Amino acid sequence: MPKKISGEADSSDRHLKIVVLISGSGSNLQSLIDAIDTGKVTASIKAVISNREQAYGLQRAAKAGIPGLLLNHQDFSSREAFDTELASLIDRYQPDLVVLAGFMRILSNSFVERYLGRLINIHPSLLPLYPGLNTHQRALDAGDREHGASIHFVIPELDAGPVIVQGRIKINESDSAEILASRVLTQVEHQLYPKAINWIAQGRVQYDTGKVYFDGEPLPTQGRQINYDHE
């Protein structure tokens, strides 16, 4: 059963209602909390759910007065059993959008289908390049000149859902995988995720039958593009 860690539910339903799923430090969660607090994102985070008890993101939620809950995947006999309980927990908050922010679990097809069009993820590569793990080292090994992050709607196929937006930075000759990961996180992800979520809150981004529309127009395969070297 889930364990409530912190917080009280926000009674306001005026904004886009969000549930955030995390597994670790929650830095993208913090960027979203900050963007909401400063009025850059018209949304309210109804709950933060982690599958790991030591996730620092739960402390971030507590500090922000957001309900933080633990649902440990190790307490379940199968992926499907965990996902069923996770969905039940999410549905208590009736979110408009479920945000994966460093949630290190592969979700079952039935879970993804349940939230299709309401489930988004941030991935540290310029999709369709480098789905899965070790994206920064793979970009360096390939000799890429640019790297970044993609925000996409989640579909059953891993890291293959239609892209809303990508943020790009140049790869420097001095970049290691660790340095590049840090640069992508701070220079791209922390700015890009709140921006995309606010577009959804404003109704500018919509998902329909496997495609993403921005202001009513279909987006190209790699979504909108933002070059953060020029921001």
Side-chain angles (χ1 to χ4, degrees), residues 108-169:
S108 62
N109 288 359
S110 60
F111 181 95
V112 172
E113 292 290 348
R114 184 188 189 100
Y115 299 104
L116 195 63
R118 295 190 293 139
L119 179 65
I120 63 171
N121 180 51
I122 188 164
H123 182 74
S125 80
L126 300 174
L127 293 172
L129 294 176
Y130 318 126
L133 302 176
N134 303 317
T135 61
H136 311 296
Q137 187 62 57
R138 290 157 70 189
L140 292 173
D141 291 345
D144 293 347
R145 296 184 176 182
E146 288 186 314
H147 191 45
S150 305
I151 298 169
H152 64 96
F153 284 99
V154 178
I155 63 172
E157 185 180 351
L158 182 66
D159 297 329
V163 174
I164 300 167
V165 61
Q166 293 182 331
R168 296 170 176 264
I169 56 172

Side-chain angles (χ1 to χ4, degrees), residues 50-65:
S50 175
N51 66 312
R52 294 179 179 171
E53 186 171 8
Q54 301 305 316
Y56 183 69
L58 289 172
Q59 297 184 42
R60 297 182 189 273
K63 186 176 180 179

Side-chain angles (χ1 to χ4, degrees), residues 5-6 22-30 33 48-64 66 68-70 101-102:
I5 304 297
S6 66
I22 64 168
S23 295
S25 70
S27 67
N28 272 313
L29 166 67
Q30 188 65 57
I33 291 171
V48 173
I49 304 170
S50 175
N51 66 312
R52 294 179 179 171
E53 186 171 8
Q54 301 305 316
Y56 183 69
L58 289 172
Q59 297 184 42
R60 297 182 189 273
K63 186 176 180 179
I66 299 167
L69 300 106
L70 169 67

